Amino acid sequence: MSGLPKKTLKAAVIGWPIDHSLSPTIHRHWLAQYNITGQYDPIAVAPNELEAKITSLVGAGYNGFNVTIPHKTNIMACLDYIDPIAKRVGAVNTVWVEGGKLMGANSDVFGFLAHLEASAGKAWQRQMPALVIGAGGAARAVVVTLLDAGVSEVRLTNRTISKADEIAAHLQETRVKVIHWEGRNQAISGVGLIVNTTSLGMAGNPALDIDLSEAPGDCVVYDIVYKPLLTPLLAAAKARGLLTVDGLGMLMHQAVLGFGKWFGQVPQVDANLKAAVRKAAGC
Ligand code: ATR
């Protein structure tokens, strides 16, 4: 046993590998800020030990977890309840214990929208079509969020078109229009929002090759990449005078749900947190 006082509230982030995770920085910052007796641990969990490890951590008094790669889908089989939005996304990243049951939700959805609203506010024309670039796990969360937020159309483009087709088929939504990768520049015409969910533009990767000249002047450009904070896409958008939203805020806002569930306090995303996370991320 750890020898910690009984009242210590415990949560963790589980993944494989886990060393890169910024979640400990975020949650430990809030634990200190709100003077909560708690701990938040990064725990490496191999794919074949997921269920056993969850059971042992809950037995050891953990109130819940953030779940990251590669467990976001497989964790769903271990839960008693899954929030309907997480079901639609097909991924859970936040788990908590409630009345002896394991509950799961997808806070990437919440984080993406909260950061967009905080950064762009009314400047984002949410009834306009949106262009989503990429078709990985992050894209799924973004597409579900935008549909729920009331966009008139989601134009979904990906280098491998079959993955975009899969998302469209899974969601069964007439508002999702799959666009060929070669058609991405034309698809910018008339959109209120462009979101990059690919890893292009991340330090060490090539930039996203896209031409923003057709973008309406009131279009918002959102990049979920946060290292560097000013990606080539956001730099090009700024040069065109477009409003930009960086990826770091989504990471911070998605942490709010879990912290509230595990530690009983809804935390604020503020400049101090952003400074701490930027320092830890080196961006
Ligand atoms: P995540 O779950 O974080 O979204 P992912 O599932 O690995 O990550 O998805 C990465 C996304 O980046 C995919 O849309 C991928 O396109 P493919 O489906 O064609 O692989 C996109 N991506 C990565 N490298 C790319 C490149 N060089 N050109 C175009 N798209 C790229």
Side-chain angles (χ1 to χ4, degrees), residues 69 134-139 158-160 163 181 197-200 206:
I69 292 167
N158 193 48
R159 174 181 61 177
T160 309
K163 291 198 203 160
W181 189 237
T197 73
T198 74
S199 45
L200 294 167

Side-chain angles (χ1 to χ4, degrees), residues 134-194:
R140 271 181 184 249
V142 167
V143 171
V144 167
T145 310
L146 293 176
L147 292 171
D148 287 357
V151 297
S152 55
E153 184 176 289
V154 174
R155 300 175 186 168
L156 181 62
T157 189
N158 193 48
R159 174 181 61 177
T160 309
I161 196 162
S162 57
K163 291 198 203 160
D165 283 332
E166 257 173 53
I167 294 182
H170 169 76
L171 294 175
Q172 293 282 309
E173 257 276 1
T174 52
R175 285 181 292 159
V176 179
K177 305 273 192 280
V178 173
I179 309 275
H180 274 277
W181 189 237
E182 295 70 31
R184 63 194 183 282
N185 290 336
Q186 291 73 36
I188 282 176
S189 173
V191 297
L193 178 69
I194 298 169

Side-chain angles (χ1 to χ4, degrees), residues 228-247:
L229 214 47
L230 184 65
T231 60
L233 172 68
L234 295 188
K238 273 183 196 288
R240 267 224 50 204
L242 304 177
L243 205 150
T244 61
V245 181
D246 69 60

